[in-house]
Amino acid sequence: MKFLKQILITFFIAIMTVVSVYGGYTIFAAGDKKINFRVTANFYDAFDGYHGEMNTYFNAKIEKMLALIDSDGYYQDAEKKKKFLPPSGLAANATTAEILKACGDDNFSSYCVGIGGMQIYSEYLTKLQDLKKTIDFKPLSGALGGGAIAADLLRSQYRKADSIDKESQAAKDVLEATVAAYNEFRMAYPMHKKYEEILNRLTKYKLILKDVRLRVAEFPVRFVDASTSQCQ
């Protein structure tokens, strides 16, 4: 139980680090509405779509990882354990696409999961830079005069560019913190399961010893006032 408590504390600290980076925002925004951030026309839809996709990505990895660890014979199956190791034989200059192909969908190493998350982040960063170059005229529809429109337009572009720059860095920090938290959990959970199994066996062993001790304790009573000192 002490070990489990340490795991939960470590994972909680990692989660709090992520939350503090994003000022109270959840690790990755979750919702029923699925948006492909790569084809959105504005920053807010891109934001929602990216965080929703990241949430789905990490949830799926963790769910499949736990199913693998909880499966029968995991600790005796070398092939299952290989799924927690980075793929071998990759060239030093391998591209992201080549790495992801070698990793496949069932590799749960922090390396492969991190590369997958980085790929999504890279596409998000490209989208943010594209949005940074666009001009949104909608907020200026009620402005009067060409000078007023130009000034408002300039201020709007500065605000959008500043928001995009901050989001680019914040998304990077959140991704790094989430991968670190995943790595901690990935290493701790199998050990927790093994220790849990050992504790269960020790508990059964202790109960058996207790039963034997109680039975042995009855022997002296049975031999009181016996006419012989030898058992027949």
Side-chain angles (χ1 to χ4, degrees):
M1 293 302 294
K2 182 179 180 182
F3 180 74
L4 176 58
K5 183 178 180 181
Q6 291 174 342
I7 295 174
L8 294 175
I9 291 174
T10 301
F11 194 65
F12 177 75
I13 291 173
I15 294 299
M16 290 303 297
T17 301
V18 174
V19 173
S20 64
V21 168
Y22 241 176
Y25 192 82
T26 53
I27 299 181
F28 289 110
D32 295 332
K33 185 180 180 181
K34 295 186 181 299
I35 303 173
N36 184 353
F37 67 85
R38 300 164 187 81
V39 296
T40 54
N42 62 76
F43 169 74
Y44 300 103
D45 283 344
F47 180 93
D48 289 341
Y50 166 74
H51 290 283
E53 185 170 324
M54 274 295 199
N55 179 72
T56 300
Y57 172 74
F58 276 97
N59 281 348
K61 288 294 183 182
I62 292 174
E63 183 177 350
K64 293 177 72 174
M65 177 190 70
L66 294 180
L68 177 65
I69 297 173
D70 292 338
S71 63
D72 294 336
Y74 166 76
Y75 293 97
Q76 291 77 36
D77 194 326
E79 291 300 318
K80 289 183 178 180
K81 291 183 178 180
K82 283 183 180 180
K83 294 184 178 182
F84 286 89
L85 300 175
S88 58
L90 283 173
N93 59 345
T95 64
T96 301
E98 291 172 338
I99 295 173
L100 291 176
K101 183 178 180 180
C103 288
D105 295 330
D106 296 326
N107 186 297
F108 307 108
S109 65
S110 299
Y111 174 76
C112 285
V113 172
I115 291 294
M118 188 179 69
Q119 174 66 16
I120 299 174
Y121 169 73
S122 178
E123 293 172 357
Y124 181 51
L125 199 61
T126 299
K127 182 61 181 180
L128 290 180
Q129 293 307 310
D130 289 342
L131 290 172
K132 194 175 180 180
K133 300 173 185 176
T134 62
I135 300 176
D136 186 5
F137 291 96
K138 291 181 180 179
L140 308 177
S141 58
L144 299 176
I149 291 178
D152 286 347
L153 179 62
L154 187 61
R155 283 193 293 269
S156 176
Q157 287 300 107
Y158 274 131
R159 286 194 297 269
K160 184 174 74 171
D162 183 60
S163 297
I164 287 176
D165 289 340
K166 289 179 178 178
E167 166 61 8
S168 299
Q169 183 59 47
K172 177 176 178 291
D173 294 339
V174 169
L175 176 60
E176 291 176 349
T178 304
V179 172
Y182 172 86
N183 185 56
E184 291 287 339
F185 184 71
R186 177 191 64 81
M187 294 188 297
Y189 186 73
M191 290 188 291
H192 159 65
K193 292 291 292 184
K194 192 63 177 178
Y195 285 144
E196 187 177 51
E197 179 184 343
I198 293 173
L199 286 175
N200 288 336
R201 291 183 178 182
L202 287 176
T203 300
K204 292 180 181 179
Y205 180 69
K206 182 183 71 172
L207 293 175
I208 292 173
L209 284 181
K210 181 180 179 181
D211 183 63
V212 171
R213 181 179 62 81
L214 292 175
R215 290 178 180 274
V216 170
E218 297 176 0
F219 286 141
V221 177
R222 294 181 180 179
F223 290 107
V224 171
D225 296 332
S227 60
T228 177
S229 59
Q230 296 182 356
C231 295
Q232 299 297 321

